[in-house]
Amino acid sequence: PHHALERRRRWNGLSPTLKGVMWMLFACVAFSGMGLSVRYLSRFLPSQELIFFRNALSLIWMFPWIVRNGFTVLRTAHFRMYLGRSALAFASMLCWFTALATLPLAEAVALGFTAPLFSTVLAVLILGEVVRMRRWTATIIGFLGAMVILRPGIEEVTFAHLLVLAASATGAITSVVVKQLTRTEHPNTIVTYMTLLTTPFAFLIAVPVWQWPEPMTWFW
């Protein structure tokens, strides 16, 4: 208990910016793992079914939190924002999972890094954040990096490449909506609503192409 209290004290002593950076790094690792899993599973299951399992299992993961705190945690005055955020997240997942089934993982992930480029522009236009020259320079370099990956005019830009860019753009808009929601909503509530609203739609598009996973596939 003493060590746990000491770790909590150290964590609480960190600046909000440093905490955000650490959470973001952990999220990047988690999303990379998910991308690897989706790429592997696309050999055995259609993308529509993978999207369903990604949302359904996430919803199951959130159930203990709901049971422990009661369904009152889902009360909100921003249901329309949740609905819009879920629709955008669903579109982003559909584009991203479909592209992962086609493109090499490294190429898809590299193009996926265009999401911060869209987020930077949206942060200025929608959130009114001040972006200084250093970030604009990094954004321009990132855009040039995306062009190096795509090599338009030298190599064919496929539909899968465009899907990754679409996933990045819709994902960036989702990030802006989430940023607005976090001003009044608990992060767990935001995650729960997303899975709660997207799982039924994911099930509908998965039914026509449904294949029962093999025993080992359930692990992935």
Side-chain angles (χ1 to χ4, degrees):
H2 173 72
H3 294 299
L5 289 173
E6 180 63 21
R7 286 195 295 269
R8 180 174 294 182
R9 185 187 66 79
R10 291 180 179 178
W11 173 258
N12 291 335
L14 298 176
S15 69
T17 300
L18 184 56
K19 287 181 182 178
V21 169
M22 294 175 69
W23 281 121
M24 194 65 208
L25 289 174
F26 179 77
C28 288
V29 172
F31 278 120
S32 297
M34 184 178 70
L36 176 63
S37 299
V38 171
R39 174 62 177 167
Y40 174 75
L41 286 168
S42 63
R43 303 174 183 176
F44 313 107
L45 297 173
S47 300
Q48 298 94 314
E49 191 171 344
L50 296 180
I51 294 172
F52 166 73
F53 279 117
R54 178 256 181 271
N55 289 283
L57 294 176
S58 296
L59 182 59
I60 292 172
W61 182 268
M62 297 307 298
F63 267 141
W65 176 75
I66 298 174
V67 172
R68 185 170 62 250
N69 295 279
F71 282 92
T72 55
V73 295
L74 297 180
R75 288 179 180 173
T76 180
H78 305 287
F79 184 75
R80 288 185 178 180
M81 288 185 68
Y82 278 119
L83 194 62
R85 187 257 168 158
S86 299
L88 289 168
F90 184 78
S92 183
M93 277 186 282
L94 186 60
C95 293
W96 177 240
F97 282 35
T98 304
L100 280 176
T102 308
L103 292 175
L105 181 61
E107 188 172 349
V109 171
L111 273 178
F113 284 134
T114 55
L117 312 183
F118 296 109
S119 297
T120 299
V121 175
L122 292 172
V124 174
L125 298 178
I126 299 177
L127 299 178
E129 293 186 1
V130 177
V131 178
R132 307 200 183 281
M133 184 56 65
R134 184 171 58 180
R135 271 185 70 186
W136 281 122
T137 302
T139 300
I140 294 171
I141 294 174
F143 174 77
L144 294 176
M147 292 299 99
V148 170
I149 296 169
L150 286 174
R151 295 184 290 276
I154 300 175
E155 293 192 7
E156 181 185 2
V157 177
T158 66
F159 182 64
H161 290 114
L162 298 179
L163 284 177
V164 176
L165 295 177
S168 297
T170 50
I173 301 173
T174 300
S175 298
V176 172
V177 177
V178 169
K179 177 64 176 177
Q180 290 179 312
L181 285 170
T182 55
R183 295 171 178 172
T184 57
E185 308 290 293
H186 193 283
N188 287 359
T189 304
I190 297 173
V191 173
T192 302
Y193 261 112
M194 195 273 287
T195 57
L196 190 64
L197 294 172
T198 54
T199 299
F201 290 106
F203 179 72
L204 289 177
I205 67 169
V207 168
V209 293
W210 187 269
Q211 300 177 31
W212 281 107
E214 297 292 331
M216 191 57 191
T217 306
W218 282 102
F219 167 78
W220 287 97

